[in-house]
Amino acid sequence: SGWEKAGIVAVTTLPLLLGGIGIALVTPDTADLNRAPQSFPGLSVSSASDATIFTDMGTALSDRLALRQTLRGLNSRMQLSLFADNPTDRVIWGRDHWLFLADAIEKPLVNRFQPDTLHGSLSELSRIGRAERQFYIAIAPNKEAIYPDYLGQADQAAVKVGRERLDAFGKLEDQSPIPGYIDLVAALESERARVAPQPVYYPQDTHWNGLGAAVLVREIVED
């Protein structure tokens, strides 16, 4: 019937209409994406053939949709809590709804990540960097290196291999210190114990939070 068709049109187009209105009224909010809002790209005759212009324009528009962050968060909570649906195999579920990035767990396992090679490269980088200015080097450990107990046994085994390589690098650093090197592993583990149960990494993000970032700042200031 006509009323049914009108209802279908309203249901499908009203969210788009409200979102479009929000473009002009709502301040862009991408805090949940760990990036700044995309600005509208400048258009010109010469740039019209650049495909990235339209990609950036689409991102800028989506950043300004009304209730974008609220709806995105609601969708994520429904997918995780209500339907227990993991939309990608690149995300690993841990206990207490903690999420981990599979790529971060796998990277330390590749053959090119060798402690002696890393130590030599960072030593040379420090030598070059400190030639003209005060120079610091810090390896920001991934979340699973500080919170391996939130993973399942199989993933903990993979993290253990990566952690062994990181610890081997630490021993090389003790034997031959790299000027300006800051060991964040021990500092973050200490901070975890100090503020527990409050985490120093976001439970559902791969990055550290303000508490974790403050560790690096404190280590630099105290160095």
Side-chain angles (χ1 to χ4, degrees), residues 62-216:
S62 66
D63 285 352
R64 289 161 175 78
L65 292 177
L67 303 178
R68 187 204 65 81
Q69 183 173 337
T70 300
L71 293 175
R72 183 173 182 269
L74 179 61
N75 178 68
S76 297
R77 286 193 292 272
M78 289 177 60
Q79 294 292 336
L80 293 173
S81 303
L82 185 59
F83 300 108
D85 179 29
N86 184 7
T88 173
D89 59 0
R90 306 318 299 162
V91 175
I92 297 175
W93 282 39
R95 66 178 177 90
D96 297 340
H97 297 292
W98 276 53
L99 302 179
F100 295 83
L101 186 62
D103 293 343
I105 295 177
E106 295 169 0
K107 280 183 178 180
L109 305 181
V110 299
N111 291 331
R112 66 175 179 272
F113 184 81
Q114 297 295 337
D116 54 346
T117 302
L118 178 61
H119 186 270
S121 298
L122 292 183
S123 296
E124 180 63 15
L125 179 62
S126 175
R127 185 188 66 79
I128 297 173
R130 295 178 72 88
E132 297 183 359
R133 59 182 61 87
Q134 194 170 10
F135 191 77
Y136 294 96
I137 301 174
I139 300 176
N142 292 321
K143 181 168 68 173
E144 62 275 0
I146 308 301
Y147 290 94
D149 49 311
Y150 278 78
L151 285 163
Q153 291 185 351
D155 294 312
Q156 284 190 37
V159 171
K160 182 179 179 181
V161 175
R163 180 57 189 267
E164 287 173 349
R165 291 185 171 185
L166 193 58
D167 291 342
F169 170 83
K171 292 181 179 178
L172 290 173
E173 161 63 16
D174 291 338
Q175 297 169 2
S176 180
I178 301 173
Y181 173 73
I182 297 174
D183 179 12
L184 290 179
V185 177
L188 285 166
E189 287 179 333
S190 176
E191 185 69 2
R192 174 189 172 173
R194 187 183 73 84
V195 301
Q198 186 173 2
V200 297
Y201 283 74
Y202 291 110
Q204 296 185 341
D205 191 294
T206 192
H207 301 88
W208 57 27
N209 56 26
L211 289 173
V215 172
L216 173 60

